[in-house]
Amino acid sequence: MNDADRITPYSQRDIACAVKLSAFLGWVGVIGAPVFSHEYRNGLDLNSLSLVFWYALIGLPISLFICWLFVKPFMRIMMRRNISYVRAACWGAGIGFSLVTVSVAFSRYRGWRQSQDAKTTSGYGDGIGTIEVNGLFTDYGWWRLAQNSFQFILICILAALIVRLVIGPGKCDPPIEAKQ
């Protein structure tokens, strides 16, 4: 079967739309939702709206770059066949898990390198507990990492389901076979 005979259910335009929508939904889930929920509890004022503008100005291009670089290859593979909601959720979880794995590997490698330097001492927390000391996570730090990773994977699953809702199941007409 050559390329002309192969029919894909999604066009390049569908893939590009899915990647852009994923980037926007990822930004809303990671930055927008926490900011708006905090402002909803504490009251929305002009400074809060300007903060959201700056988060969008900086965060959306980063989100687009990450999606075009890391998510698009997964989407090209995923969109070779029609997508059901279950398949979209599984791929969303897989993509989220992959991004979390890469992020954790890089950050923990950096933390390990920092812990090997005897001249450096550092520590930080979130006001509730200490997250990291000299580049190594505390038990509380590992717990926060697990929570944040789980939330990110849930955001990816929700974004995948919304993208599937927007782009649809795909158009696939089987090729007409020539009678012999």
Side-chain angles (χ1 to χ4, degrees), residues 33-49:
V35 168
F36 283 117
S37 67
H38 172 73
E39 298 308 326
Y40 177 74
R41 286 187 305 244
N42 297 334
L44 196 61
D45 59 358
L46 190 56
N47 290 335
S48 303
L49 291 177

Side-chain angles (χ1 to χ4, degrees), residues 74 78 86-101 149-150 152-161:
F74 287 109
M78 178 179 64
V86 172
R87 190 164 180 249
C90 290
W91 273 93
I95 291 170
F97 182 77
S98 299
L99 291 173
V100 164
T101 302
S149 299
F150 183 70
F152 182 76
I153 291 170
L154 287 178
I155 289 168
C156 290
I157 292 170
L158 183 62
L161 291 172

Side-chain angles (χ1 to χ4, degrees), residues 29-98:
V30 172
I31 299 294
V35 168
F36 283 117
S37 67
H38 172 73
E39 298 308 326
Y40 177 74
R41 286 187 305 244
N42 297 334
L44 196 61
D45 59 358
L46 190 56
N47 290 335
S48 303
L49 291 177
S50 68
L51 187 64
V52 171
F53 169 76
W54 288 109
Y55 281 152
L57 188 66
I58 295 169
L60 280 173
I62 292 171
S63 180
L64 280 168
F65 176 76
I66 289 171
C67 281
W68 280 106
L69 187 64
F70 295 113
V71 176
K72 186 179 179 189
F74 287 109
M75 288 230 183
R76 291 182 66 95
I77 294 168
M78 178 179 64
M79 295 174 83
R80 288 181 183 165
R81 297 186 315 162
N82 291 5
I83 300 173
S84 66
Y85 285 105
V86 172
R87 190 164 180 249
C90 290
W91 273 93
I95 291 170
F97 182 77
S98 299

Side-chain angles (χ1 to χ4, degrees), residues 1-7 175 177:
M1 180 189 277
N2 61 22
D3 289 340
D5 293 336
R6 188 178 351 168
I7 296 176
E177 299 289 329

